[in-house]
Amino acid sequence: MTLGTAPVSVLPGVGPQRLKTLGLLGIFTLFDLLSYYPFRYEDRNAQPGRELEHGARVTVRVTIDGAAGLKYRGKRASTTIVPIVTEDFRRLHAVWFNQPYVKDQLKPGRKMTVTGKYDANRRSITVATHDFVVSGETVHSNRIVPVYNVKADITPKILRNLIAQAVKTYGEKIPELLPIALRQKYRLIDRLDAIQEIHFPKNSDTLHQARRRLIFEEFFLFQLKLQAFRWIHRHEQPGVVHVATDEEVERFIGRLPFEMTGAQKRVAVEILQDMKSKMPMNRLVQGDVGSGKTILAFLAAFVAVRSGHQGAILVPTEILAEQHFRSAVELLEPLGVQSVLLVGSQKEKERREVLAAIESGAAQVIIGTHALLEEGVRFRSLSVVVTDEQHRFGVEQRSIFRQKGHAPDVLFMSATPIPRTLAMSVFGDLDVSLVDELPAGRKPIQTYWITPDKEDRSLRFIRSELAKGRQAYIVCPLVEESDKVEGVVNATDLYEMLKDWFAGFEVGLMHGKLRPTDKEEVMRRFIDQDIQVLVSTTVIEVGVNVPNATVMMVYNAERFGLAQLHQLRGRVGRGEHASSCILMSKPDTEAGQERMKAMVATQNGFVLAEKDLELRGPGEFFGVRQSGIPDFKIGDLLQDAKIMQVARDEVQTCIRTPDFWTLPSYAQLVDFLKQEKVLLQRAGD
């Protein structure tokens, strides 16, 4: 039995109900418990009575010096008061509010440690927590005490007791994963010591050493999974060597209705070099909105077809899939390439015909939504997969794409500029290309930051644009009015108000609570210009191309991050007409004001991404628990970026070691990869 498989119920005191509550905290095994780290610490080392300061939070060792009294005020409110004496003979009172049950515990002569707020005028301590002194060491007082996030009937004291019990009983079973040479190189303490000290530190120095060791370990193991996945994919699963000629590539480029940018040409060369190699491509193409990444996806698919295989392009929504399909037909059909569309809403007869064409190979470029990943979709010879706007996918999800062909080349596209610090962790198993240049002639989007008192003026400007035959997006944070959030505009009320403002024009409403089919219908009507003003929350699809839309107005812009505002701004400026982005905001924080200033100052998504990371941190940059973004237990991607870099470099050194998979010093790491299902089976095992 390992700590990773032993249920936490092996500990005394963990019955069915407590087991259920621990599950709400994500604690199911002993390892889950031991790696449930404190979010802060309190110094509860006892102070002499003579050093207590009025209004301060204090910890004092005392002896109860009389009978406890209980006073009621009303039916429920109660106050328990007991006289106490400190170790240096200062007489005080300890006070508990609304805890009448403690009265029976407060017996004269009992020794205890109390922590709470000290009132010098009343010579009393309002007790936040107390702990009776018994023989042996306590984990609740007279030390640096860990504080955990808890739920329901699991109190911090209960959790501390359980963790202390687990360390004492099963600590020797904690395996050491890091090789001794690595620990010596960076002066890292042993794993068992780190677990003990992170929960029950002797002092601030041992706590620092524990955090340092565990952060490095967490980042190292994360990078190990990424780099091992990459190594296995590149070295043990030879891919397709694509053999399209330079003349055929030139034919494709010659069909484009524009001159490729220097950045597009550079990335195209990187993609073509990958596709000519026997090692499967595993590349991320990052490019700002409107930088022309889709053409690179079509180029990869075209090269696959000219090499005798098939290419698939996976996109998140049906609208985007249909848009790509129309572009593919226009570009690739004259080159003799047959494209098909596969989406969930297709009728059964059409779907059967498309599936048959995919399986026979008659369909050469397949564009679709997640319907492409279903078991019933069988390719004749899939050699390249392009996933558009799929930065949310983690390593486990990425492996799905490779099951549809024999180690196909995989190309990821993302219009979300991601700072290097985060890209290193999120996309550590990928080669990264940047399309960091916009097509010639692309008009810059004029961005304005206005306060709410300028709303009417902005709406009049939008009406003047509508009169020219243009369209507008109007975005706000909420779907409906909320009791919890005051002063924030919601889409439902705004829609009703704007129908009067824009009388004579069609106003549409889009938000996340609509059924998917209704959202698709509203968006189609906007694309077809049946709707002139689209009032929406942030569900507007990234990548949808509406060249006639020239205004993006965002209410309560302070409630969005820079990355999100930049994506919204990128919905306009996609046609020949001058476009504007209006950010209506009255930030009450300096960071909010900095975001607005940054949006006005630059249209470079990568500059804004770095600023967003600086102002908000990695968690908020991507949103709460967005799939694929690592949810580290102790490491911080921003504060601990240097440790992540060191861990990545060390993992690369390990993986490149010729005998990595067989050396005894790396055996624990290889076992870890097997347990994580990164390493399923290797030749010769």
Side-chain angles (χ1 to χ4, degrees):
M1 180 179 70
T2 66
L3 295 179
T5 59
V8 73
S9 56
V10 300
L11 295 174
V14 181
Q17 181 56 45
R18 185 161 290 175
L19 187 64
K20 183 178 179 181
T21 310
L22 287 169
L24 297 176
L25 297 173
I27 298 173
F28 301 97
T29 68
L30 288 177
F31 180 77
D32 294 334
L33 180 66
L34 292 173
S35 59
Y36 192 80
Y37 302 129
F39 73 94
R40 66 180 177 87
Y41 299 84
E42 291 181 355
D43 187 350
R44 294 189 191 167
N45 284 298
Q47 303 159 248
R50 63 180 178 277
E51 294 180 5
L52 304 184
E53 294 182 13
H54 175 71
R57 187 181 177 90
V58 300
T59 297
V60 188
R61 294 190 65 159
V62 301
T63 302
I64 298 173
D65 190 40
L70 183 61
K71 297 179 180 179
Y72 282 95
R73 188 178 57 192
K75 290 185 177 180
R76 293 189 178 181
S78 66
T79 304
T80 306
I81 304 175
V82 64
I84 54 176
V85 178
T86 69
E87 289 183 314
D88 53 355
F89 307 109
R90 285 175 60 87
R91 294 185 61 81
L92 306 172
H93 284 91
V95 180
W96 287 259
F97 289 113
N98 299 318
Q99 300 178 60
Y101 58 87
V102 301
K103 178 179 178 294
D104 293 336
Q105 303 171 11
L106 303 174
K107 305 296 184 184
R110 291 197 75 177
K111 296 183 183 295
M112 64 179 180
T113 303
V114 295
T115 298
K117 186 176 181 180
Y118 176 60
D119 186 326
N121 300 320
R122 297 185 177 183
R123 297 177 62 82
S124 66
I125 297 173
T126 301
V127 180
T129 182
H130 66 279
D131 189 38
F132 290 103
V133 176
V134 294
S135 59
E137 186 178 344
T138 175
V139 295
H140 309 298
S141 59
N142 295 316
R143 63 178 310 130
I144 296 175
V145 175
V147 181
Y148 304 88
N149 284 312
V150 293
K151 286 185 178 180
D153 60 336
I154 300 292
T155 65
K157 187 172 284 190
I158 288 173
L159 203 53
R160 280 193 290 270
N161 282 331
L162 289 175
I163 293 172
Q165 196 175 350
V167 170
K168 182 179 180 181
T169 309
Y170 297 99
E172 295 301 324
K173 291 184 177 292
I174 297 175
E176 179 55 75
L177 297 180
L178 299 182
I180 188 169
L182 203 57
R183 302 201 304 275
Q184 290 175 343
K185 181 177 179 179
Y186 294 106
R187 299 190 302 278
L188 300 173
I189 64 175
D190 292 345
R191 197 183 195 202
L192 172 57
D193 293 338
I195 294 289
Q196 289 175 323
E197 291 298 319
I198 201 68
H199 291 293
F200 309 113
K202 297 182 183 70
N203 52 56
S204 58
D205 182 63
T206 60
L207 175 58
H208 171 74
Q209 293 302 327
R211 282 184 54 80
R212 184 170 168 270
R213 153 68 201 235
L214 293 174
I215 291 169
F216 181 87
E217 177 185 296
E218 187 171 37
F219 286 170
F220 183 89
L221 295 179
F222 175 77
Q223 288 291 339
L224 182 67
K225 288 172 64 176
L226 290 180
Q227 301 303 327
F229 185 86
R230 174 190 177 96
W231 194 93
I232 294 166
H233 179 61
R234 292 177 72 104
H235 293 85
E236 297 202 350
Q237 298 174 335
V240 174
V241 177
H242 293 90
V243 292
T245 64
D246 292 343
E247 290 75 21
E248 287 172 319
V249 172
E250 288 297 329
R251 276 186 65 209
F252 172 89
I253 294 174
R255 282 283 307 160
L256 298 177
F258 53 81
E259 175 74 19
M260 291 180 74
T261 65
Q264 284 176 312
K265 291 176 181 177
R266 182 185 71 247
V267 175
V269 169
E270 292 170 350
I271 291 170
L272 293 173
Q273 287 175 341
D274 283 351
M275 296 185 73
K276 290 177 181 178
S277 168
K278 66 179 181 180
M279 290 190 293
M281 176 170 63
N282 205 26
R283 182 170 294 276
L284 167 70
V285 175
Q286 273 192 276
D288 222 334
V289 286
S291 59
K293 299 181 300 299
T294 304
I295 293 303
L296 298 170
F298 289 155
L299 173 60
F302 174 76
V303 169
V305 173
R306 282 291 169 259
S307 301
H309 304 283
Q310 294 167 295
I313 300 177
L314 176 72
V315 296
T317 68
E318 293 197 5
I319 290 175
L320 200 53
E322 290 169 4
Q323 180 178 296
H324 281 0
F325 174 64
R326 288 193 293 269
S327 299
V329 169
E330 183 179 346
L331 178 62
L332 298 177
E333 209 165 76
L335 296 172
V337 176
Q338 180 65 43
S339 301
V340 297
L341 176 70
L342 183 66
V343 292
S345 65
Q346 284 172 321
K347 294 181 179 178
E348 187 59 33
K349 181 175 182 295
E350 182 183 5
R351 178 180 173 80
R352 284 199 304 269
E353 291 173 352
V354 171
L355 290 176
I358 294 172
E359 189 167 7
S360 69
Q364 297 168 301
V365 173
I366 302 90
I367 298 168
T369 58
H370 280 70
L372 284 176
L373 301 178
E374 295 174 1
E375 288 186 13
V377 183
R378 298 181 181 87
F379 294 84
R380 184 187 65 81
S381 179
L382 179 64
S383 69
V384 67
V385 176
V386 182
T387 67
D388 196 5
E389 298 305 339
Q390 291 298 323
H391 66 276
R392 294 176 176 86
F393 274 45
V395 170
E396 294 81 1
Q397 290 88 348
R398 291 172 201 166
S399 64
I400 297 172
F401 306 138
R402 300 185 175 94
Q403 298 170 9
K404 294 291 181 178
H406 179 72
D409 286 348
V410 182
L411 186 64
F412 299 93
M413 302 283 187
S414 178
T416 303
I418 298 173
R420 181 177 175 275
T421 305
L422 293 185
M424 184 172 63
S425 58
V426 178
F427 302 121
D429 59 324
L430 308 179
D431 296 309
V432 179
S433 295
L434 297 181
V435 185
D436 51 4
E437 182 181 353
L438 292 177
R442 182 83 186 263
K443 292 184 173 66
I445 303 164
Q446 295 300 317
T447 303
Y448 306 95
W449 169 25
I450 66 167
T451 48
D453 59 305
K454 303 291 195 304
E455 178 183 13
D456 286 5
R457 180 179 173 182
S458 298
L459 293 177
R460 286 195 296 272
F461 168 72
I462 291 175
R463 190 172 178 87
S464 70
E465 287 291 293
L466 301 182
K468 298 176 186 176
R470 313 288 177 253
Q471 293 166 275
Y473 297 95
I474 299 182
V475 174
C476 53
L478 302 179
V479 176
E480 297 168 331
E481 187 176 1
S482 171
D483 295 333
K484 298 179 180 178
V485 187
E486 294 184 6
V488 177
V489 177
N490 70 85
T492 306
D493 290 347
L494 186 61
Y495 166 71
E496 294 297 331
M497 185 267 282
L498 293 180
K499 283 196 297 185
D500 294 331
W501 249 101
F502 299 121
F505 298 99
E506 188 68 25
V507 180
L509 176 63
M510 172 106 105
H511 55 73
K513 291 187 177 180
L514 293 177
R515 292 181 303 179
T517 53
D518 292 337
K519 282 194 287 189
E520 298 268 353
E521 177 61 23
V522 171
M523 201 67 217
R524 280 195 181 90
R525 291 185 63 208
F526 188 67
I527 291 170
D528 294 339
Q529 301 184 32
D530 295 333
I531 290 174
Q532 284 77 50
V533 179
L534 183 60
V535 179
S536 176
T537 55
T538 55
V539 295
I540 301 169
E541 301 299 347
V542 173
V544 171
N545 193 29
V546 185
N548 194 50
T550 58
V551 183
M552 165 63 70
M553 183 171 177
V554 183
Y555 280 74
N556 294 111
E558 73 279 358
R559 296 186 64 83
F560 303 96
L562 286 173
Q564 211 167 18
L565 289 174
H566 183 61
Q567 288 288 350
L568 290 172
R569 178 167 59 185
R571 298 305 96 228
V572 297
R574 306 177 77 85
E576 58 182 316
H577 309 293
S579 296
S580 305
C581 177
I582 303 169
L583 306 174
M584 191 166 76
S585 173
K586 193 174 182 180
D588 55 7
T589 65
E590 187 176 340
Q593 294 171 12
E594 286 295 316
R595 283 203 290 276
M596 296 305 105
K597 291 176 183 176
M599 283 295 297
V600 173
T602 183
Q603 294 190 31
N604 186 312
F606 291 95
V607 172
L608 289 172
E610 293 288 352
K611 186 69 173 178
D612 207 18
L613 184 64
E614 173 191 330
L615 290 173
R616 305 205 305 160
E620 289 183 88
F621 180 88
F622 282 108
V624 178
R625 289 194 174 278
Q626 203 165 359
S627 175
I629 307 308
D631 186 19
F632 294 116
K633 290 185 175 183
I634 193 167
D636 183 288
L637 283 173
L638 195 56
Q639 295 180 4
D640 306 318
K642 289 183 179 179
I643 301 179
M644 175 66 84
Q645 180 66 61
V646 171
R648 186 170 187 259
D649 292 345
E650 290 295 345
V651 165
Q652 288 179 339
T653 300
C654 286
I655 293 291
R656 291 168 184 161
T657 302
D659 299 323
F660 171 77
W661 307 102
T662 54
L663 280 174
S665 56
Y666 294 127
Q668 290 282 9
L669 295 180
V670 174
D671 286 343
F672 167 79
L673 291 172
K674 290 178 180 176
Q675 290 168 15
E676 293 293 310
K677 296 183 171 55
V678 174
L679 181 63
L680 297 178
Q681 184 176 359
R682 300 181 65 253
D685 281 359

